[in-house]
Amino acid sequence: MASTKPGERKLQILQTLAAMLENPKGEKITTAALAARVDVSEAALYRHFASKAQMFEGLIEFIESTVFGLINQITEQQENGVMQAQAIAAMLLNFADKNRGMTRVLTGDVLVNEDERLQARMNQFAERIEMAFRQALRIAASQGQLPEKEVSARSSALCNLVLGRWLRLEPVCKM
């Protein structure tokens, strides 16, 4: 077996988990199924991650660093507050469209039977997204593009629009 560099196997496990999440009607995501896809033993998975929850945390960390890094780029490059909000919304929708498995993490779909702290973390993620919209719209208000009293309602509406679109990206039927 070819040796892998430190961190490569961990990344491979997370990439495989993300790929498995892209098929919501596929196999149940268990550590055994994940180990089989990566072609390692379950024990090898646990050398890199103490638990399945820790694997999901790795995906969440990737999502957070990517999304908030892109939001920072948008706010640095775009001075117009309305344009910032539009660019943030477009980026969030594009991210979800290109990363369907990650979208299932964003919406909490795959976290239902996992550790509660994971869902709490995704709720906090949504709050940070709304805060990014609020900051952009405050800039827009300071630029005279909309009344200050509308900032909170509009940022909430934008956040809800994005979350709703994320939910529609994945075909989930739970009846």
Side-chain angles (χ1 to χ4, degrees):
M1 175 190 262
S3 66
T4 57
K5 295 178 185 171
E8 277 185 12
R9 181 67 73 190
K10 193 172 186 174
L11 179 61
Q12 181 186 23
I13 291 167
L14 291 177
Q15 289 171 334
T16 303
L17 177 57
M20 290 174 75
L21 291 171
E22 289 183 9
N23 184 8
K25 294 181 182 178
E27 64 189 299
K28 182 174 177 2
I29 298 175
T30 62
T31 54
L34 179 59
R37 281 270 187 102
V38 179
D39 197 26
V40 298
S41 68
E42 280 187 82
L45 289 180
Y46 289 113
R47 280 195 287 276
H48 298 284
F49 298 97
S51 65
K52 189 174 170 186
Q54 210 177 62
M55 292 176 207
F56 281 116
E57 284 177 335
L59 289 179
I60 292 169
E61 287 170 13
F62 169 79
I63 293 167
E64 288 175 338
S65 66
T66 302
V67 166
F68 292 111
L70 291 170
I71 288 173
N72 288 338
Q73 285 179 15
I74 289 167
T75 58
E76 288 171 6
Q77 295 171 0
Q78 181 57 257
E79 291 181 21
N80 182 303
V82 170
M83 298 299 284
Q84 278 184 18
Q86 288 175 348
I88 291 168
M91 176 275 296
L92 291 168
L93 295 174
N94 287 330
F95 178 85
D97 190 47
K98 290 178 183 170
N99 300 284
R100 301 278 175 129
M102 300 290 186
T103 304
R104 295 187 66 213
V105 176
L106 288 167
T107 62
D109 176 47
V110 296
L111 305 177
V112 171
N113 295 316
E114 301 301 330
D115 192 305
E116 290 176 13
R117 76 179 186 274
L118 297 172
Q119 186 58 57
R121 190 163 172 184
M122 291 318 305
N123 292 344
Q124 192 174 39
F125 176 87
E127 289 170 11
R128 289 177 63 195
I129 293 293
E130 187 170 346
M131 194 173 1
F133 281 127
R134 192 173 299 121
Q135 289 173 324
L137 294 177
R138 280 191 181 127
I139 291 169
S142 72
Q143 294 169 335
Q145 297 174 318
L146 65 108
E148 179 68 38
K149 66 183 179 184
E150 293 182 15
V151 168
S152 184
R154 286 187 185 209
S155 60
S156 178
L158 280 169
C159 189
N160 289 333
L161 171 86
V162 168
L163 293 172
R165 294 301 300 174
W166 285 348
L167 287 168
R168 290 187 66 192
L169 277 175
E170 55 176 284
V172 177
C173 182
K174 297 179 183 175
M175 294 173 87

